[in-house]
Amino acid sequence: MEGQRIRPAVASDVPAVKTVTDAAYRPYVARIGVVPQPMEADHAADVAAGKVFVTDGPGEGVAGLVVVEARPDHLSLDSIAVHPDAHGGGVGRRLLRFVDAHARALGLPEVRLYTNAMMWENQEIYPKYGYDVVERRVDGPYDRVHYRKRLL
């Protein structure tokens, strides 16, 4: 798995982007009581806008993906999703490294993201990759913990 490349998603990837996103976030629906925002995203529009990057699995199909958006002062990591069948294979780690490299290539000094407060696994993972908690804020039905990682 470690050698798999990360590439911009193309239109033919949209069904796989939806499948992987839904599979990654579905376990959280019952826990947080609402559908996680990435499951409701317009994946076709995100792919068309160049926001989605995927990595293929060992067979056919997408193992993981990130949705990012360049802002004037940071790269926003809107979603990271790894298919449950690919857990433990380093896909998430490679995607997070890619996000850092992508932000640097764009000349952006930091990456920002947020996760639902009920997704406690993420709150253990992100600090291990250099992310610091900025704040916790309720946005509509979502209780979110906001993070940033300074790169420069």
Side-chain angles (χ1 to χ4, degrees), residues 4 9 23 27 32 47 49 51 62 71 80 85 91 109-110 114 141:
Q4 298 294 323
I32 67 176
V47 168
K51 297 178 183 179
V62 172
R71 304 282 169 82
I80 181 168
D85 293 346
V91 174
E110 66 184 43
Y114 55 77

Side-chain angles (χ1 to χ4, degrees), residues 73-88:
D73 61 347
H74 70 280
L75 185 67
S76 177
L77 174 52
D78 294 335
S79 177
I80 181 168
V82 176
H83 195 282
D85 293 346
H87 284 180

Side-chain angles (χ1 to χ4, degrees), residues 88-107:
V91 174
R93 177 177 57 247
R94 286 188 299 103
L95 288 167
L96 286 172
R97 287 183 186 148
F98 168 81
V99 169
D100 291 354
H102 188 60
R104 285 185 178 107
L106 294 172

Side-chain angles (χ1 to χ4, degrees), residues 16-140:
V17 167
K18 178 171 178 32
T19 297
V20 171
T21 300
D22 288 353
Y25 286 94
R26 187 174 296 113
Y28 296 113
V29 174
R31 188 189 303 173
I32 67 176
V34 294
V35 174
Q37 206 167 14
M39 292 177 73
E40 297 181 329
D42 184 339
H43 303 297
D46 287 344
V47 168
K51 297 178 183 179
V52 183
F53 294 84
V54 298
T55 185
D56 297 319
E60 293 296 316
V62 172
L65 63 101
V66 291
V67 180
V68 296
E69 185 170 357
R71 304 282 169 82
D73 61 347
H74 70 280
L75 185 67
S76 177
L77 174 52
D78 294 335
S79 177
I80 181 168
V82 176
H83 195 282
D85 293 346
H87 284 180
V91 174
R93 177 177 57 247
R94 286 188 299 103
L95 288 167
L96 286 172
R97 287 183 186 148
F98 168 81
V99 169
D100 291 354
H102 188 60
R104 285 185 178 107
L106 294 172
L108 297 171
E110 66 184 43
V111 177
R112 296 182 193 168
L113 63 86
Y114 55 77
T115 190
N116 192 286
M118 296 297 288
M119 295 179 182
W120 51 78
E121 302 90 341
N122 295 343
Q123 294 175 58
E124 293 178 11
I125 292 169
Y126 293 130
K128 292 178 183 176
Y129 290 91
Y131 287 85
D132 297 312
V133 173
V134 175
E135 67 177 328
R136 182 171 173 173
R137 184 173 70 228
V138 175
D139 297 311

